[in-house]
Amino acid sequence: ARWFLEERMAYKLMQIPEEEMKATPELFTSRLQVLIELGKFEEADAWLKEAPQKVPDVVQNSIKAALANKLDRRSEAISLWERTIDRAISLQQYGDCIAILQIAERFGEREIANRMAQSITELPVGNLPQGAALEYLENYFVNEPQEWLAFWESYPRNRPGDGFATQQVAFLKFFP
């Protein structure tokens, strides 16, 4: 989808029959991405209602919440975000949390993205990927260096042998 947009050929993607676009989550979300990029939020909202069952609920609900905000349906957006976030946090699934964070970022939902970054650092370390895969979270803690340091200090205790985490602690302690 990104290539179609960058090459100003989104119309080509939109010419693919809808039934074919519903065949896989990747094709489905490609069309959705194009509609969103083109600012066609009403069409994107309608398309999302056609989502195949293979598209994860967390993805569908996060996009529904973000679209509701774009369409000035604030109370619906708040309710959807809350349910989606509460479920992801209660299940302590990194994949769900990162999906919410990325969708929130994509839609400019900074408060939601910040909340999810914080929630990710509170997940059990065993539910998190290797330390290097978490480096992107640093931008969310620029104004909270002690909290960021505390996260990295607890990480190696629970996942010994992760050299990146040890390196982060040393860097944060000696170059605050």
Side-chain angles (χ1 to χ4, degrees), residues 5-64:
L5 289 164
E6 288 172 357
E7 297 298 318
R8 300 179 191 258
M9 297 178 65
Y11 70 93
K12 291 263 190 203
L13 189 66
M14 300 304 285
Q15 290 175 344
I16 298 172
E18 286 187 11
E19 286 309 310
E20 289 180 32
M21 296 299 286
K22 293 177 187 174
T24 68
E26 295 79 17
L27 285 173
F28 181 85
T29 55
S30 292
R31 182 181 177 95
L32 184 62
Q33 182 180 353
V34 168
L35 290 169
I36 291 166
E37 289 286 332
L38 296 175
K40 297 181 176 187
F41 301 124
E42 293 284 347
E43 287 182 53
D45 192 40
W47 180 247
L48 191 54
K49 291 176 181 156
E50 303 289 325
Q53 290 182 346
K54 296 175 191 171
V55 177
D57 286 344
V58 69
V59 171
Q60 287 186 52
N61 291 332
S62 295
I63 294 172
K64 283 179 189 176

Side-chain angles (χ1 to χ4, degrees), residues 44-127:
D45 192 40
W47 180 247
L48 191 54
K49 291 176 181 156
E50 303 289 325
Q53 290 182 346
K54 296 175 191 171
V55 177
D57 286 344
V58 69
V59 171
Q60 287 186 52
N61 291 332
S62 295
I63 294 172
K64 283 179 189 176
L67 281 173
N69 246 351
K70 293 284 187 196
L71 295 167
D72 290 324
R73 299 189 315 238
R74 304 282 186 234
S75 61
E76 178 185 349
I78 291 168
S79 177
L80 280 164
W81 277 127
E82 289 302 319
R83 282 195 318 258
T84 305
I85 291 168
D86 289 348
R87 180 169 165 70
I89 291 171
S90 70
L91 294 175
Q92 297 185 336
Q93 294 293 321
Y94 171 76
D96 288 355
C97 291
I98 192 64
I100 294 168
L101 184 144
Q102 289 173 339
I103 291 166
E105 278 181 347
R106 177 77 189 87
F107 279 89
E109 301 267 357
R110 190 71 180 165
E111 185 178 321
I112 299 296
N114 285 336
R115 184 170 164 195
M116 291 316 301
Q118 179 66 44
S119 296
I120 288 170
T121 64
E122 294 168 0
L123 291 174
V125 172
N127 293 12

